[in-house]
């Protein structure tokens, strides 16, 4: 493997590179040393996509407010459906290090649209609080949305043929971290009407006090750096906590959840070879296996962090196919188990 983490980034079309450079500029200049963010600067570059009830490229969208006082809502992505379809649901958490972006940000909206069209699933993309709100604010928001969906009175905007017994939870980067912790909470809480059958963790944001080989080797990576992730953890974790906090290092020395006793969903873990967090993502996969849980590892050796935001990359196409196959396999297994 090449030691140059930008090798795959050279395949990115210029417009995406320009947009990434703008976002990187905004992130760097909006970040303060005290762990807060200059939202005015960031908002100049964080363009939003409005909801659209008109079918666009096979998908239409709408927003549902859960708690206006927290700006807690979700974007609903609906594929063009046949009346006989038994439609699965993906509850999706966006990335951004618990500090940036929103469910309405254009990169998040674009990815969910493509995921909706490719899988045929209804996507519920959660907008949660960001820094300076610290742990567990983001987790509380995520689980409140899960409980909201679990109440049948709140699902009137969903198509009649949506199957809440075929629900997946997914996320990229920090959203992958959220997806894991939401799955743990769902297993411990016991939802009434929703059955979680799969978890999709795309380059999940995990870490620890130890410096791994990939963190040491991959410097000057596109999109994210170790210096950047350290700042994000400091902004997110409770005051006085280190990176071995269980929110960050889920199978580390301070772990508080023994998932071996839980009915944890089958999990797909996606890693990129040029992601500084690569080794922590591998450890997450290995931790699931050690706990006796079903997990599959999808590796893209030349992929950088957030590669899936570039539709033109071959790895992005492969990822979409892999996610679709994972969902279809688990749905078929679930149907066989119910017959």
């Amino acid at each position: 493997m090449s030691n140059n983490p930008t090798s795959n980034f050279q395949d990115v079309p210029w417009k995406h590179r320009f947009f990434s450079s703008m976002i990187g500029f905004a992130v760097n200049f909006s970040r303060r040393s005290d762990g807060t963010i200059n939202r005015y600067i960031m908002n100049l570059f964080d363009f939003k996509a409005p909801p659209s009830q008109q079918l666009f490229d096979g998908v239409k969208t709408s927003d549902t407010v859960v708690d206006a006082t927290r700006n807690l809502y979700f974007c609903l992505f609906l594929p063009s459906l046949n009346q006989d379809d038994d439609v699965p649901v993906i509850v999706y958490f966006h990335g951004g290090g618990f500090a940036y972006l929103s469910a309405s940000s254009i990169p998040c909206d674009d990815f969910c649209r493509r995921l909706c069209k490719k899988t045929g699933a209804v996507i519920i993309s959660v907008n949660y609080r960001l820094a300076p709100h610290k742990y567990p604010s983001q987790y509380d928001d995520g689980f409140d949305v899960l409980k909201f969906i679990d109440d049948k009175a709140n699902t009137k905007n969903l198509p009649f043929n949506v199957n809440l017994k075929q629900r997946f939870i997914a996320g990229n980067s920090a959203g992958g971290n959220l997806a894991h912790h939401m799955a743990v909470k769902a297993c411990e809480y016991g939802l009434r009407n929703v059955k979680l059958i799969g978890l999709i963790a795309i380059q999940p944001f995990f870490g620890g006090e130890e410096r791994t080989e990939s963190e040491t080797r991959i410097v000057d990576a596109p999109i994210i750096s170790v210096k950047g992730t350290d700042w994000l953890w400091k902004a997110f974790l409770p005051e006085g906590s280190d990176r071995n906090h269980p929110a960050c290092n889920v199978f580390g020395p301070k772990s508080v959840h023994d998932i071996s006793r839980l009915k944890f969903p089958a999990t797909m873990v996606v890693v990129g070879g040029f992601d500084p967090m690569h080794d922590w993502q591998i450890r997450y996969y290995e931790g699931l296996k050690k706990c006796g849980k079903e997990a599959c590892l999808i590796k893209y050796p030349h992929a950088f962090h957030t590669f899936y935001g570039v539709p033109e990359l071959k790895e992005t196409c492969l990822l979409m196919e892999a996610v679709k196959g994972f969902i279809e396999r688990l749905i078929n297994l679930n149907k066989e188990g119910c017959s």
Side-chain angles (χ1 to χ4, degrees):
M1 181 184 297
S2 168
N3 286 331
N4 176 12
T6 64
S7 59
N8 192 47
F9 197 63
Q10 302 305 316
D11 298 330
V12 175
W14 71 268
K15 64 178 181 179
H16 289 286
R17 280 206 246 173
F18 178 73
F19 183 77
S20 296
S21 296
M22 281 202 314
I23 292 294
F25 174 86
V27 166
N28 289 333
F29 279 86
S30 66
R31 202 162 54 195
R32 301 187 180 111
S33 60
D34 63 357
T36 61
I37 294 168
N38 185 325
R39 292 289 172 194
Y40 175 78
I41 291 177
M42 191 61 209
N43 289 339
L44 293 175
F45 298 87
D46 184 13
F47 304 113
K48 302 295 194 295
S52 173
Q53 286 292 332
Q54 298 297 318
L55 203 62
F56 175 72
D57 200 21
V59 177
K60 59 182 178 179
T61 63
S62 63
D63 291 346
T64 298
V65 175
V66 177
D67 185 349
T69 64
R70 289 180 277 168
N71 196 29
L72 180 60
Y73 67 91
F74 59 82
C75 300
L76 186 65
F77 295 79
L78 299 177
S80 54
L81 304 171
N82 295 319
Q83 289 193 352
D84 295 333
D85 287 343
D86 194 16
V87 182
V89 176
I90 302 175
V91 179
Y92 191 83
F93 295 94
H94 68 82
F98 304 108
Y100 296 102
L101 303 179
S102 72
S104 300
S105 295
I106 284 181
C108 307
D109 180 89
D110 177 69
F111 182 77
C112 285
R113 283 180 180 275
R114 289 186 281 120
L115 186 64
C116 178
K117 183 178 179 181
K118 182 66 177 180
T119 63
V122 167
I123 312 293
I124 294 173
S125 180
V126 180
N127 192 73
Y128 52 87
R129 283 174 290 179
L130 303 173
H133 297 284
K134 288 181 172 285
Y135 168 92
S137 297
Q138 292 83 347
Y139 294 179
D140 291 343
D141 288 353
F143 198 61
D144 283 348
V145 169
L146 294 187
K147 290 188 289 185
F148 182 88
I149 300 166
D150 194 47
D151 185 344
K152 288 185 176 180
N154 297 324
T155 59
K156 57 182 180 297
N157 290 333
L158 297 179
F160 73 93
N161 48 359
V162 160
N163 189 344
L164 291 177
K165 301 299 182 184
Q166 294 179 172
R167 195 196 71 185
F168 294 78
I169 193 164
N172 67 288
S173 195
N177 177 302
L178 267 164
H180 166 81
H181 288 285
M182 293 306 96
V184 172
K185 282 179 171 286
C187 291
E188 293 178 334
Y189 180 82
L191 300 171
R192 294 169 297 171
N193 300 307
V194 171
K195 180 181 179 181
L196 179 60
I197 65 173
L199 190 160
I200 303 163
I202 304 172
Q203 294 182 298
F205 186 35
F206 296 121
E209 281 297 296
E210 175 193 348
R211 284 292 184 230
T212 64
E213 190 275 338
S214 65
E215 288 176 311
T216 303
R217 173 174 53 84
I218 303 174
V219 295
D220 298 323
I223 309 300
I224 195 67
S225 67
V226 174
K227 182 180 179 181
T229 59
D230 284 354
W231 187 93
L232 290 168
W233 286 123
K234 181 180 178 182
F236 170 65
L237 294 173
E239 293 292 341
S241 299
D242 62 23
R243 293 189 303 274
N244 281 333
H245 187 283
C248 176
N249 193 351
V250 295
F251 295 117
K254 299 179 181 179
S255 176
V256 295
H257 294 288
D258 177 15
I259 70 167
S260 61
R261 62 181 177 83
L262 300 177
K263 194 174 181 180
F264 199 78
T267 303
M268 172 181 171
V269 184
V270 179
V271 304
F274 290 103
D275 184 347
M277 291 178 284
H278 171 277
D279 291 355
W280 287 112
Q281 295 157 3
I282 295 291
R283 290 187 186 186
Y284 173 62
Y285 163 76
E286 293 172 345
L288 293 174
K289 299 293 284 186
K290 287 179 182 177
C291 289
K293 303 307 171 186
E294 180 184 346
C296 64
L297 181 66
I298 308 294
K299 300 176 73 172
Y300 300 112
H302 300 288
F304 57 90
H305 195 70
T306 70
F307 71 93
Y308 39 82
V310 185
E312 293 87 350
L313 289 177
K314 66 177 182 180
E315 289 88 351
T316 302
C317 298
L318 292 171
L319 171 64
M320 288 295 184
E321 290 292 343
V323 170
K324 181 181 179 182
F326 179 75
I327 289 173
E328 290 176 347
R329 181 177 68 83
L330 291 181
I331 287 175
N332 290 332
L333 286 173
N334 187 56
K335 288 179 179 178
E336 291 173 4
C338 295
S339 61

